[in-house]
Amino acid sequence: MRLPWRTRRWRRSTEEPATPEPLAPLSVARIAAVLSRRGFSFTTDEDGDVTGIWDGHRFWLMVTGEAGDVLQVRGVWNRAVPLERRRALRLAVNDWNRDRLWPKVYYRTEGEEIAVYAEHSIDLEPGVNDAQLDHAIACGLLSGVQVFGELEQAFPEQG
């Protein structure tokens, strides 16, 4: 599967850092700096979470955990599933969660439809350097976009 154009910026560098970068605490400012270096558009919502649209899907990048040391990348599929397709959706979500470690995929009823979420959480208690944070964010965003792409194939729009 070819990556969408917006996610191709996450290619790994072939250069190794000369010396290991020191670890620093996770923060919203550091998340924003990673996204800015990548040239992504984003904003901070009223809860202080970084949010933006990646390949048409809303994602939030949050600092959570009791000590503020957990990075959570959560996205919501840009489509909803009709309530009568709940059984098929449950099978698709269970297949994904059984076969892959991340992101965790779940759904919930919102009004008269079902919304689907992808969530990847990483405990960064010892701290994280910039390269590691960049990689962790990329994993969360790319794997979320991947699951939503698979859902597009499993649940084509009916019109």
Side-chain angles (χ1 to χ4, degrees):
M1 179 172 106
R2 186 180 163 120
L3 292 175
W5 72 270
R6 285 190 54 125
T7 55
R8 284 188 222 133
R9 295 184 209 172
W10 290 101
R11 297 286 184 211
R12 247 188 217 193
S13 171
T14 56
E15 297 178 22
E16 291 293 322
T19 58
E21 295 178 54
L23 301 181
L26 178 64
S27 69
V28 170
R30 293 188 64 212
I31 292 169
V34 165
L35 296 175
S36 292
R37 280 193 298 274
R38 291 288 185 169
F40 288 120
S41 296
F42 61 92
T43 188
T44 304
D45 68 14
E46 61 278 355
D47 295 326
D49 303 321
V50 173
T51 185
I53 304 292
W54 278 269
D55 293 312
H57 311 284
R58 169 72 56 192
F59 281 84
W60 296 266
L61 293 91
M62 301 171 269
V63 175
T64 67
E66 289 181 22
D69 53 8
V70 175
L71 169 66
Q72 186 175 90
V73 180
R74 181 185 304 161
V76 63
W77 188 25
N78 63 8
R79 291 196 22 233
V81 176
L83 292 173
E84 61 269 11
R85 301 286 320 267
R86 179 186 301 274
R87 186 173 189 277
L89 179 61
R90 181 177 54 242
L91 292 172
V93 166
N94 286 346
D95 285 348
W96 176 276
N97 288 330
R98 179 193 63 235
D99 296 340
R100 294 171 181 85
L101 295 175
W102 73 80
K104 169 181 70 178
V105 180
Y106 59 95
Y107 57 90
R108 67 181 186 200
T109 302
E110 295 181 356
E112 298 299 316
E113 299 178 307
I114 304 169
V116 182
Y117 293 84
E119 185 175 288
H120 184 51
S121 298
I122 307 161
D123 184 351
L124 300 170
E125 180 182 357
V128 61
N129 66 37
D130 289 343
Q132 292 166 333
L133 183 57
D134 183 275
H135 185 74
I137 291 171
C139 285
L141 292 172
L142 291 174
S143 61
V145 166
Q146 181 184 6
V147 72
F148 297 147
E150 290 197 19
L151 287 170
E152 291 287 339
Q153 293 176 15
F155 296 89
E157 284 192 87
Q158 300 176 0

